[in-house]
Amino acid sequence: MGLIMQNGTDRQVLRFEEVTRTHVALVGGKNASLGELARFMKPRGINVAPGFATTAAMYWDFVDANGLRPIIDRVIAAYRKGTTTLAEAGATLRTAFLKGSFSAQALEAIRQAYSDLSQQFDSAATDVAVRSSATAEDLPDASFAGQQESFLNVRGETALFEACRSCFASLFTDRAISYRESKGYDHMKVALSVGVQKMVRADTGGAGVMFSIDTETGCDRVVLINAAWGLGENVVQGSVEPDEYEVFKPLLGPGNCAPIIEKRCGTKLQKLIYAAAAGALTCNVPTSAAERDALVLDDAEILQLSRWACVIEQHYGVPMDMEWARDGLGGDLYIVQARPETVQSRRKASTLQTYTVGKKGRLLLTGSSIGNAAVAGRVCVLSSARDIARFVDGSILVTMTTDPDWVPIMKRAAAIVTDEGGRTSHAAIVSRELGLPAIVGTGKATALLQDGAQITVSCAEGQDGFIYEGRAEITTTQIDLSSIPATRTKIMLNLADPAAAMHWWQLPADGVGLARMEFVVSNHVRIHPMSLVRFDTLKDPATRLEIERLTRGYPDKSEYFVDKLSRGLARIAAAMYPKPVIVRTSDFKTNEYANLIGGREFEPVEENPMIGFRGASRYYSPRYQDGFVLECRALARLRQTLGFSNVAVMIPFCRTLEEADRVLDVMAAHGLRRGENDLRVLMMCEIPSNVILAEEFAKRFDGFSIGSNDLTQLTLGIDRDSAELAALFDESNAAVQWMIRRAISAAHDAGISAGLCGQAPSDDPAFADLLVKYGIDSISVTPDSFVDVKRQVALSESRQGAAIAQAVA
């Protein structure tokens, strides 16, 4: 308390450096935090704009000098009785404050502090931000954030006095009165401190907010930064779409890593600047086309802010919500506010939900169940992704089928229902990763379900999904993840969508056994790599125009592909870091490649793409090798520049030994040499030739990952997408089982790992029992089935252990 006492009397103004976060009752939460930053963070190299705070003593001095206590009591009593409205009460009290006068002592304290601050910048009257910081004498943790006023670009003593008086008055905004009434806070025990801080000239630079936690998923290993041009109020208030950057904290060491896993350019349609008009402090103006297309922060600035966020979080000991600004004159970055984050950090991340459905309405439709949740809601039938404006957030999306264009709508849906598609369709895969229930392959949902109708989508009743009329009774149960049993067999995840990967960070998985590169390409890159490599040869003007639009800001169009792909994969790698993440190189079929922007000019038309020009055969072919080189460059950047050395590479659909050698040579020539920098290269074991020649393939790769879908298809000679033959498509068939056993045995004989990343264990956890029996090293499953498969494997291992013990006895 010695910091805030002088000659035995309470001081009315304190420099930020004299205040710590223990002084909330004196200067409010906001100013106490600024004092903490100035006192402890500046010595650690973090720029904090200087300033001072008026104390609660000044507020009460103002209230008493102007006889405001009885006015407050009378007006609040009338509001409680209903004889005056909230708006009338607020207006009366604010007017009374604005008519009040500061005491001579208060005026002199503010004048002297402002003079001292201005002299630091060789100015007679420097520009300052004036912000309100409410406090409650008996509630030291109360911050009342966002309920009082702030004023930017305040200059001169007269303007400062007026701003301070207006801050006092803002303690009685309508929303502040209503909030205190609802919480039962005594209005006469709440004071207001005014923070006066040197303006950072972000009006000519940029500003924004920063969190030391992922605000959507609660992942505490991510720094999230939003940025816009001009002063930061637009970002704080949500009045612009800012840039968004994400940085992975565990790799933010002193080394050369730059683990920026997300860089998204916002529209940033306006910016808040100093006003030129007399009487105005700030104003919004439109941004230029160049500003809208450019990122506000460069990589060095993103990393600097992220390191500061980590230092501040470490000091406070909790996830933090911060505001930052960049001075457009000198280019320096500053932290201008920091407070504990109060949403995600309070959620319990160690639980999952399960669902049961009761009091069901009439059964309307069935299909394949995706996920294990149940949702009741309003139907929204859309025939095209172009109808996004018609979609109501939280509705159940009903459509024929989906592709990457649907992802923005899918993210806003409560559940998804499609006429077409199976368990490996786009709708199924994306829904799993978004954690949404989906029912695919219903055949006639768009014809039968009426727009606006209320239905229940249940994916909580096994492999079949059910759509019921009306809103059923849905009960949820929390599963404690800490209770999930340990297993010898590694249980890993199948992931593809970077936007959804962080949703599963808390699962106790052993890594990612299959990261599907092609989904990252289709959802995030969207452009065929060869159309970037050979852009000058493109014939279609519309395609050229679309590529020009998407690659704005990338002088080298190939760099667009490498940058987008490497960062997309980085989000998946970050979700499980430092556990292994196996990235499969692109495994599109030619018809799927053709659907990428510019793809039709580079892809042949095939009668049966499933067994056509796909996988390894593309990587050394003149038709696609230059595109594969971009994939290699992205993977090399992912491991070396972004720092995710936990990433291994997997080659799909490798038909022959000669093909394996050629692909490995291409990879080595472009920064991905097997064994160098601990790089592991695995092979999808999904073709009968892979099993027949397993010993020879094992000499060339560090592990096999058995793809049960393709291996079943090619062993039984069944098109896995054929509805007519669906009943015959069975991974448990004796021939397929022989193939799986043989692959595992050959891998182990060669001293390499054998895993399985097919859909079968996800659809039927009992299938995992057979895999454990065969000695599989790892099973990779969809996130929604992880818990069931993990428990099934634990039971299988227990039974087999007991059987072995009995046999020995």
Side-chain angles (χ1 to χ4, degrees), residues 14-58:
L14 298 168
R15 290 181 296 108
F16 287 156
E17 290 84 355
E18 297 179 281
V19 177
T20 72
R21 55 179 157 160
T22 64
H23 297 132
V24 173
L26 292 167
V27 294
K30 185 179 296 183
N31 288 334
S33 185
L34 280 171
E36 187 82 6
L37 290 172
R39 185 169 174 79
F40 296 105
M41 296 296 98
K42 286 178 70 174
R44 300 187 66 175
I46 296 176
N47 295 331
V48 181
F52 60 89
T54 68
T55 65
M58 180 180 287

mmCIF file of all heavy atoms in Angstrom, residues 14-58:
data_model
loop_
_atom_site.group_PDB
_atom_site.id
_atom_site.type_symbol
_atom_site.label_atom_id
_atom_site.label_comp_id
_atom_site.label_asym_id
_atom_site.label_seq_id
_atom_site.Cartn_x
_atom_site.Cartn_y
_atom_site.Cartn_z
ATOM 1 N N LEU A 14 -2.493 8.297 -9.801
ATOM 2 C CA LEU A 14 -1.335 7.412 -9.699
ATOM 3 C C LEU A 14 -0.810 7.104 -11.099
ATOM 4 O O LEU A 14 -1.590 6.849 -12.022
ATOM 5 C CB LEU A 14 -1.730 6.093 -9.017
ATOM 6 C CG LEU A 14 -2.245 6.185 -7.582
ATOM 7 C CD1 LEU A 14 -2.864 4.855 -7.180
ATOM 8 C CD2 LEU A 14 -1.115 6.558 -6.640
ATOM 9 N N ARG A 15 0.517 7.151 -11.255
ATOM 10 C CA ARG A 15 1.102 6.688 -12.506
ATOM 11 C C ARG A 15 0.892 5.183 -12.621
ATOM 12 O O ARG A 15 0.833 4.468 -11.614
ATOM 13 C CB ARG A 15 2.592 7.025 -12.553
ATOM 14 C CG ARG A 15 2.901 8.491 -12.700
ATOM 15 C CD ARG A 15 4.402 8.748 -12.773
ATOM 16 N NE ARG A 15 5.085 8.362 -11.533
ATOM 17 C CZ ARG A 15 5.872 7.315 -11.397
ATOM 18 N NH1 ARG A 15 6.102 6.509 -12.424
ATOM 19 N NH2 ARG A 15 6.446 7.062 -10.234
ATOM 20 N N PHE A 16 0.789 4.687 -13.859
ATOM 21 C CA PHE A 16 0.573 3.254 -14.041
ATOM 22 C C PHE A 16 1.625 2.432 -13.301
ATOM 23 O O PHE A 16 1.318 1.385 -12.726
ATOM 24 C CB PHE A 16 0.597 2.891 -15.528
ATOM 25 C CG PHE A 16 -0.620 3.320 -16.292
ATOM 26 C CD1 PHE A 16 -0.559 3.522 -17.666
ATOM 27 C CD2 PHE A 16 -1.834 3.521 -15.655
ATOM 28 C CE1 PHE A 16 -1.677 3.899 -18.388
ATOM 29 C CE2 PHE A 16 -2.967 3.909 -16.371
ATOM 30 C CZ PHE A 16 -2.885 4.100 -17.741
ATOM 31 N N GLU A 17 2.865 2.894 -13.324
ATOM 32 C CA GLU A 17 3.951 2.133 -12.694
ATOM 33 C C GLU A 17 3.775 2.004 -11.184
ATOM 34 O O GLU A 17 4.426 1.177 -10.544
ATOM 35 C CB GLU A 17 5.298 2.781 -12.996
ATOM 36 C CG GLU A 17 5.766 2.667 -14.431
ATOM 37 C CD GLU A 17 5.177 3.744 -15.324
ATOM 38 O OE1 GLU A 17 4.323 4.529 -14.846
ATOM 39 O OE2 GLU A 17 5.552 3.806 -16.513
ATOM 40 N N GLU A 18 2.921 2.838 -10.595
ATOM 41 C CA GLU A 18 2.693 2.785 -9.153
ATOM 42 C C GLU A 18 1.568 1.816 -8.768
ATOM 43 O O GLU A 18 1.277 1.641 -7.583
ATOM 44 C CB GLU A 18 2.343 4.183 -8.640
ATOM 45 C CG GLU A 18 3.448 5.205 -8.816
ATOM 46 C CD GLU A 18 3.029 6.566 -8.305
ATOM 47 O OE1 GLU A 18 2.298 7.269 -9.013
ATOM 48 O OE2 GLU A 18 3.433 6.917 -7.174
ATOM 49 N N VAL A 19 0.947 1.198 -9.765
ATOM 50 C CA VAL A 19 -0.241 0.376 -9.527
ATOM 51 C C VAL A 19 0.060 -1.068 -9.919
ATOM 52 O O VAL A 19 0.816 -1.326 -10.850
ATOM 53 C CB VAL A 19 -1.427 0.910 -10.360
ATOM 54 C CG1 VAL A 19 -2.656 0.024 -10.178
ATOM 55 C CG2 VAL A 19 -1.749 2.340 -9.964
ATOM 56 N N THR A 20 -0.518 -2.007 -9.195
ATOM 57 C CA THR A 20 -0.448 -3.418 -9.577
ATOM 58 C C THR A 20 -1.871 -3.976 -9.634
ATOM 59 O O THR A 20 -2.823 -3.294 -9.269
ATOM 60 C CB THR A 20 0.389 -4.240 -8.586
ATOM 61 O OG1 THR A 20 -0.348 -4.388 -7.370
ATOM 62 C CG2 THR A 20 1.732 -3.571 -8.301
ATOM 63 N N ARG A 21 -1.972 -5.227 -10.045
ATOM 64 C CA ARG A 21 -3.304 -5.821 -10.176
ATOM 65 C C ARG A 21 -3.973 -6.050 -8.826
ATOM 66 O O ARG A 21 -5.149 -6.423 -8.776
ATOM 67 C CB ARG A 21 -3.223 -7.127 -10.955
ATOM 68 C CG ARG A 21 -2.248 -8.145 -10.400
ATOM 69 C CD ARG A 21 -2.248 -9.415 -11.228
ATOM 70 N NE ARG A 21 -0.995 -10.157 -11.081
ATOM 71 C CZ ARG A 21 -0.855 -11.437 -11.372
ATOM 72 N NH1 ARG A 21 -1.894 -12.116 -11.816
ATOM 73 N NH2 ARG A 21 0.306 -12.029 -11.241
ATOM 74 N N THR A 22 -3.273 -5.842 -7.728
ATOM 75 C CA THR A 22 -3.890 -5.949 -6.404
ATOM 76 C C THR A 22 -4.689 -4.707 -6.041
ATOM 77 O O THR A 22 -5.353 -4.673 -5.005
ATOM 78 C CB THR A 22 -2.817 -6.191 -5.329
ATOM 79 O OG1 THR A 22 -1.940 -5.054 -5.269
ATOM 80 C CG2 THR A 22 -2.020 -7.441 -5.639
ATOM 81 N N HIS A 23 -4.640 -3.661 -6.893
ATOM 82 C CA HIS A 23 -5.256 -2.384 -6.562
ATOM 83 C C HIS A 23 -6.561 -2.156 -7.317
ATOM 84 O O HIS A 23 -6.905 -1.019 -7.648
ATOM 85 C CB HIS A 23 -4.277 -1.236 -6.837
ATOM 86 C CG HIS A 23 -3.046 -1.285 -5.998
ATOM 87 N ND1 HIS A 23 -1.770 -1.146 -6.516
ATOM 88 C CD2 HIS A 23 -2.888 -1.510 -4.675
ATOM 89 C CE1 HIS A 23 -0.879 -1.268 -5.537
ATOM 90 N NE2 HIS A 23 -1.537 -1.478 -4.411
ATOM 91 N N VAL A 24 -7.290 -3.227 -7.581
ATOM 92 C CA VAL A 24 -8.551 -3.109 -8.316
ATOM 93 C C VAL A 24 -9.524 -2.188 -7.587
ATOM 94 O O VAL A 24 -10.230 -1.395 -8.210
ATOM 95 C CB VAL A 24 -9.185 -4.503 -8.523
ATOM 96 C CG1 VAL A 24 -10.568 -4.387 -9.142
ATOM 97 C CG2 VAL A 24 -8.289 -5.369 -9.387
ATOM 98 N N ALA A 25 -9.587 -2.259 -6.270
ATOM 99 C CA ALA A 25 -10.529 -1.436 -5.514
ATOM 100 C C ALA A 25 -10.209 0.050 -5.623
ATOM 101 O O ALA A 25 -11.074 0.899 -5.385
ATOM 102 C CB ALA A 25 -10.539 -1.858 -4.045
ATOM 103 N N LEU A 26 -8.984 0.391 -5.988
ATOM 104 C CA LEU A 26 -8.575 1.792 -6.079
ATOM 105 C C LEU A 26 -8.695 2.357 -7.485
ATOM 106 O O LEU A 26 -9.110 3.501 -7.672
ATOM 107 C CB LEU A 26 -7.118 1.945 -5.614
ATOM 108 C CG LEU A 26 -6.884 1.707 -4.124
ATOM 109 C CD1 LEU A 26 -5.412 1.573 -3.847
ATOM 110 C CD2 LEU A 26 -7.478 2.841 -3.326
ATOM 111 N N VAL A 27 -8.347 1.532 -8.500
ATOM 112 C CA VAL A 27 -8.310 2.062 -9.869
ATOM 113 C C VAL A 27 -9.079 1.188 -10.856
ATOM 114 O O VAL A 27 -8.999 1.398 -12.071
ATOM 115 C CB VAL A 27 -6.855 2.243 -10.350
ATOM 116 C CG1 VAL A 27 -6.137 3.312 -9.542
ATOM 117 C CG2 VAL A 27 -6.093 0.915 -10.310
ATOM 118 N N GLY A 28 -9.826 0.204 -10.377
ATOM 119 C CA GLY A 28 -10.591 -0.647 -11.271
ATOM 120 C C GLY A 28 -9.735 -1.711 -11.942
ATOM 121 O O GLY A 28 -8.507 -1.624 -11.979
ATOM 122 N N GLY A 29 -10.396 -2.721 -12.486
ATOM 123 C CA GLY A 29 -9.673 -3.832 -13.088
ATOM 124 C C GLY A 29 -8.842 -3.435 -14.280
ATOM 125 O O GLY A 29 -7.700 -3.881 -14.447
ATOM 126 N N LYS A 30 -9.379 -2.588 -15.153
ATOM 127 C CA LYS A 30 -8.663 -2.206 -16.372
ATOM 128 C C LYS A 30 -7.379 -1.451 -16.044
ATOM 129 O O LYS A 30 -6.305 -1.766 -16.559
ATOM 130 C CB LYS A 30 -9.583 -1.349 -17.247
ATOM 131 C CG LYS A 30 -8.999 -0.990 -18.600
ATOM 132 C CD LYS A 30 -9.977 -0.160 -19.421
ATOM 133 C CE LYS A 30 -11.226 -0.942 -19.743
ATOM 134 N NZ LYS A 30 -12.163 -0.182 -20.606
ATOM 135 N N ASN A 31 -7.461 -0.473 -15.174
ATOM 136 C CA ASN A 31 -6.275 0.316 -14.845
ATOM 137 C C ASN A 31 -5.302 -0.447 -13.960
ATOM 138 O O ASN A 31 -4.082 -0.252 -14.053
ATOM 139 C CB ASN A 31 -6.686 1.628 -14.171
ATOM 140 C CG ASN A 31 -7.312 2.600 -15.157
ATOM 141 O OD1 ASN A 31 -7.035 2.549 -16.356
ATOM 142 N ND2 ASN A 31 -8.172 3.476 -14.662
ATOM 143 N N ALA A 32 -5.826 -1.325 -13.096
ATOM 144 C CA ALA A 32 -4.929 -2.156 -12.289
ATOM 145 C C ALA A 32 -4.095 -3.051 -13.202
ATOM 146 O O ALA A 32 -2.899 -3.264 -12.966
ATOM 147 C CB ALA A 32 -5.737 -2.996 -11.310
ATOM 148 N N SER A 33 -4.716 -3.560 -14.260
ATOM 149 C CA SER A 33 -3.990 -4.411 -15.204
ATOM 150 C C SER A 33 -2.957 -3.610 -15.991
ATOM 151 O O SER A 33 -1.846 -4.088 -16.231
ATOM 152 C CB SER A 33 -4.972 -5.087 -16.163
ATOM 153 O OG SER A 33 -4.300 -5.999 -16.992
ATOM 154 N N LEU A 34 -3.311 -2.397 -16.378
ATOM 155 C CA LEU A 34 -2.336 -1.545 -17.067
ATOM 156 C C LEU A 34 -1.141 -1.250 -16.165
ATOM 157 O O LEU A 34 0.004 -1.210 -16.623
ATOM 158 C CB LEU A 34 -3.000 -0.237 -17.511
ATOM 159 C CG LEU A 34 -3.836 -0.302 -18.783
ATOM 160 C CD1 LEU A 34 -4.617 1.001 -18.987
ATOM 161 C CD2 LEU A 34 -2.948 -0.571 -19.984
ATOM 162 N N GLY A 35 -1.416 -1.039 -14.887
ATOM 163 C CA GLY A 35 -0.319 -0.821 -13.955
ATOM 164 C C GLY A 35 0.575 -2.042 -13.843
ATOM 165 O O GLY A 35 1.805 -1.934 -13.800
ATOM 166 N N GLU A 36 -0.046 -3.224 -13.796
ATOM 167 C CA GLU A 36 0.712 -4.477 -13.735
ATOM 168 C C GLU A 36 1.626 -4.607 -14.955
ATOM 169 O O GLU A 36 2.794 -4.991 -14.858
ATOM 170 C CB GLU A 36 -0.256 -5.654 -13.662
ATOM 171 C CG GLU A 36 0.405 -6.991 -13.425
ATOM 172 C CD GLU A 36 0.721 -7.261 -11.963
ATOM 173 O OE1 GLU A 36 0.325 -6.444 -11.103
ATOM 174 O OE2 GLU A 36 1.360 -8.288 -11.673
ATOM 175 N N LEU A 37 1.069 -4.275 -16.134
ATOM 176 C CA LEU A 37 1.865 -4.349 -17.365
ATOM 177 C C LEU A 37 3.032 -3.373 -17.314
ATOM 178 O O LEU A 37 4.178 -3.725 -17.635
ATOM 179 C CB LEU A 37 0.977 -4.042 -18.574
ATOM 180 C CG LEU A 37 -0.080 -5.074 -18.962
ATOM 181 C CD1 LEU A 37 -0.991 -4.511 -20.040
ATOM 182 C CD2 LEU A 37 0.586 -6.351 -19.454
ATOM 183 N N ALA A 38 2.736 -2.123 -16.950
ATOM 184 C CA ALA A 38 3.781 -1.102 -16.943
ATOM 185 C C ALA A 38 4.868 -1.421 -15.926
ATOM 186 O O ALA A 38 6.059 -1.195 -16.169
ATOM 187 C CB ALA A 38 3.166 0.261 -16.640
ATOM 188 N N ARG A 39 4.479 -1.951 -14.788
ATOM 189 C CA ARG A 39 5.438 -2.205 -13.710
ATOM 190 C C ARG A 39 6.298 -3.444 -13.964
ATOM 191 O O ARG A 39 7.502 -3.438 -13.689
ATOM 192 C CB ARG A 39 4.685 -2.358 -12.389
ATOM 193 C CG ARG A 39 5.580 -2.505 -11.165
ATOM 194 C CD ARG A 39 4.760 -2.369 -9.903
ATOM 195 N NE ARG A 39 5.547 -2.634 -8.720
ATOM 196 C CZ ARG A 39 6.394 -1.776 -8.149
ATOM 197 N NH1 ARG A 39 6.565 -0.581 -8.685
ATOM 198 N NH2 ARG A 39 7.065 -2.089 -7.060
ATOM 199 N N PHE A 40 5.681 -4.516 -14.527
ATOM 200 C CA PHE A 40 6.403 -5.777 -14.627
ATOM 201 C C PHE A 40 6.745 -6.213 -16.057
ATOM 202 O O PHE A 40 7.693 -6.980 -16.253
ATOM 203 C CB PHE A 40 5.586 -6.890 -13.948
ATOM 204 C CG PHE A 40 5.396 -6.682 -12.476
ATOM 205 C CD1 PHE A 40 4.177 -6.271 -11.969
ATOM 206 C CD2 PHE A 40 6.442 -6.895 -11.591
ATOM 207 C CE1 PHE A 40 3.988 -6.077 -10.610
ATOM 208 C CE2 PHE A 40 6.271 -6.705 -10.226
ATOM 209 C CZ PHE A 40 5.045 -6.298 -9.731
ATOM 210 N N MET A 41 5.995 -5.754 -17.049
ATOM 211 C CA MET A 41 6.248 -6.209 -18.412
ATOM 212 C C MET A 41 7.234 -5.323 -19.163
ATOM 213 O O MET A 41 8.002 -5.800 -20.001
ATOM 214 C CB MET A 41 4.934 -6.300 -19.199
ATOM 215 C CG MET A 41 3.947 -7.344 -18.654
ATOM 216 S SD MET A 41 4.564 -9.054 -18.751
ATOM 217 C CE MET A 41 5.174 -9.296 -17.072
ATOM 218 N N LYS A 42 7.216 -4.042 -18.897
ATOM 219 C CA LYS A 42 8.183 -3.156 -19.579
ATOM 220 C C LYS A 42 9.630 -3.585 -19.337
ATOM 221 O O LYS A 42 10.436 -3.602 -20.270
ATOM 222 C CB LYS A 42 7.958 -1.698 -19.143
ATOM 223 C CG LYS A 42 6.713 -1.078 -19.760
ATOM 224 C CD LYS A 42 6.484 0.345 -19.272
ATOM 225 C CE LYS A 42 7.514 1.312 -19.828
ATOM 226 N NZ LYS A 42 7.183 2.718 -19.461
ATOM 227 N N PRO A 43 9.995 -3.972 -18.102
ATOM 228 C CA PRO A 43 11.370 -4.452 -17.902
ATOM 229 C C PRO A 43 11.693 -5.728 -18.679
ATOM 230 O O PRO A 43 12.863 -6.056 -18.853
ATOM 231 C CB PRO A 43 11.429 -4.701 -16.379
ATOM 232 C CG PRO A 43 10.366 -3.827 -15.804
ATOM 233 C CD PRO A 43 9.273 -3.828 -16.819
ATOM 234 N N ARG A 44 10.669 -6.439 -19.156
ATOM 235 C CA ARG A 44 10.888 -7.663 -19.918
ATOM 236 C C ARG A 44 10.813 -7.410 -21.420
ATOM 237 O O ARG A 44 10.678 -8.342 -22.213
ATOM 238 C CB ARG A 44 9.870 -8.727 -19.496
ATOM 239 C CG ARG A 44 9.985 -9.084 -18.009
ATOM 240 C CD ARG A 44 9.097 -10.250 -17.623
ATOM 241 N NE ARG A 44 9.504 -11.497 -18.262
ATOM 242 C CZ ARG A 44 8.953 -12.678 -18.011
ATOM 243 N NH1 ARG A 44 7.985 -12.764 -17.111
ATOM 244 N NH2 ARG A 44 9.352 -13.758 -18.625
ATOM 245 N N GLY A 45 10.879 -6.150 -21.808
ATOM 246 C CA GLY A 45 10.969 -5.816 -23.224
ATOM 247 C C GLY A 45 9.650 -5.638 -23.928
ATOM 248 O O GLY A 45 9.610 -5.514 -25.158
ATOM 249 N N ILE A 46 8.537 -5.617 -23.203
ATOM 250 C CA ILE A 46 7.230 -5.425 -23.814
ATOM 251 C C ILE A 46 6.865 -3.949 -23.758
ATOM 252 O O ILE A 46 6.865 -3.342 -22.675
ATOM 253 C CB ILE A 46 6.165 -6.271 -23.099
ATOM 254 C CG1 ILE A 46 6.477 -7.764 -23.266
ATOM 255 C CG2 ILE A 46 4.767 -5.956 -23.612
ATOM 256 C CD1 ILE A 46 5.545 -8.679 -22.508
ATOM 257 N N ASN A 47 6.576 -3.360 -24.902
ATOM 258 C CA ASN A 47 6.223 -1.950 -24.950
ATOM 259 C C ASN A 47 4.818 -1.737 -24.394
ATOM 260 O O ASN A 47 3.859 -2.358 -24.854
ATOM 261 C CB ASN A 47 6.267 -1.435 -26.391
ATOM 262 C CG ASN A 47 7.659 -1.471 -26.969
ATOM 263 O OD1 ASN A 47 8.647 -1.362 -26.237
ATOM 264 N ND2 ASN A 47 7.757 -1.612 -28.278
ATOM 265 N N VAL A 48 4.711 -0.866 -23.388
ATOM 266 C CA VAL A 48 3.434 -0.501 -22.798
ATOM 267 C C VAL A 48 3.330 1.010 -22.822
ATOM 268 O O VAL A 48 4.198 1.706 -22.281
ATOM 269 C CB VAL A 48 3.302 -1.019 -21.350
ATOM 270 C CG1 VAL A 48 1.945 -0.631 -20.771
ATOM 271 C CG2 VAL A 48 3.494 -2.526 -21.284
ATOM 272 N N ALA A 49 2.291 1.534 -23.451
ATOM 273 C CA ALA A 49 2.138 2.987 -23.532
ATOM 274 C C ALA A 49 1.954 3.559 -22.130
ATOM 275 O O ALA A 49 1.146 3.052 -21.353
ATOM 276 C CB ALA A 49 0.947 3.329 -24.416
ATOM 277 N N PRO A 50 2.690 4.619 -21.773
ATOM 278 C CA PRO A 50 2.617 5.170 -20.409
ATOM 279 C C PRO A 50 1.323 5.924 -20.170
ATOM 280 O O PRO A 50 0.609 6.299 -21.100
ATOM 281 C CB PRO A 50 3.821 6.103 -20.357
ATOM 282 C CG PRO A 50 4.010 6.546 -21.780
ATOM 283 C CD PRO A 50 3.641 5.353 -22.620
ATOM 284 N N GLY A 51 1.038 6.163 -18.887
ATOM 285 C CA GLY A 51 -0.149 6.918 -18.540
ATOM 286 C C GLY A 51 -0.369 6.961 -17.044
ATOM 287 O O GLY A 51 0.529 6.611 -16.257
ATOM 288 N N PHE A 52 -1.552 7.369 -16.658
ATOM 289 C CA PHE A 52 -1.879 7.472 -15.239
ATOM 290 C C PHE A 52 -3.358 7.179 -15.047
ATOM 291 O O PHE A 52 -4.143 7.138 -16.007
ATOM 292 C CB PHE A 52 -1.525 8.855 -14.691
ATOM 293 C CG PHE A 52 -2.238 10.002 -15.367
ATOM 294 C CD1 PHE A 52 -3.472 10.454 -14.907
ATOM 295 C CD2 PHE A 52 -1.664 10.640 -16.464
ATOM 296 C CE1 PHE A 52 -4.124 11.515 -15.523
ATOM 297 C CE2 PHE A 52 -2.314 11.697 -17.088
ATOM 298 C CZ PHE A 52 -3.553 12.134 -16.629
ATOM 299 N N ALA A 53 -3.731 6.976 -13.782
ATOM 300 C CA ALA A 53 -5.117 6.656 -13.452
ATOM 301 C C ALA A 53 -5.590 7.516 -12.298
ATOM 302 O O ALA A 53 -4.854 7.732 -11.330
ATOM 303 C CB ALA A 53 -5.241 5.183 -13.073
ATOM 304 N N THR A 54 -6.815 8.024 -12.410
ATOM 305 C CA THR A 54 -7.436 8.654 -11.242
ATOM 306 C C THR A 54 -7.918 7.540 -10.315
ATOM 307 O O THR A 54 -8.196 6.427 -10.769
ATOM 308 C CB THR A 54 -8.620 9.540 -11.653
ATOM 309 O OG1 THR A 54 -9.687 8.714 -12.158
ATOM 310 C CG2 THR A 54 -8.207 10.539 -12.724
ATOM 311 N N THR A 55 -8.025 7.816 -9.059
ATOM 312 C CA THR A 55 -8.386 6.786 -8.091
ATOM 313 C C THR A 55 -9.860 6.881 -7.693
ATOM 314 O O THR A 55 -10.548 7.861 -8.002
ATOM 315 C CB THR A 55 -7.535 6.900 -6.825
ATOM 316 O OG1 THR A 55 -7.848 8.151 -6.184
ATOM 317 C CG2 THR A 55 -6.051 6.842 -7.150
ATOM 318 N N ALA A 56 -10.321 5.868 -6.984
ATOM 319 C CA ALA A 56 -11.686 5.887 -6.467
ATOM 320 C C ALA A 56 -11.901 7.086 -5.545
ATOM 321 O O ALA A 56 -13.003 7.637 -5.471
ATOM 322 C CB ALA A 56 -11.977 4.590 -5.723
ATOM 323 N N ALA A 57 -10.812 7.508 -4.884
ATOM 324 C CA ALA A 57 -10.921 8.667 -3.986
ATOM 325 C C ALA A 57 -11.359 9.912 -4.751
ATOM 326 O O ALA A 57 -12.169 10.709 -4.247
ATOM 327 C CB ALA A 57 -9.584 8.912 -3.291
ATOM 328 N N MET A 58 -10.849 10.098 -5.979
ATOM 329 C CA MET A 58 -11.253 11.255 -6.773
ATOM 330 C C MET A 58 -12.724 11.157 -7.157
ATOM 331 O O MET A 58 -13.441 12.162 -7.151
ATOM 332 C CB MET A 58 -10.388 11.386 -8.035
ATOM 333 C CG MET A 58 -10.779 12.580 -8.907
ATOM 334 S SD MET A 58 -9.785 12.778 -10.397
ATOM 335 C CE MET A 58 -8.253 13.379 -9.702
#
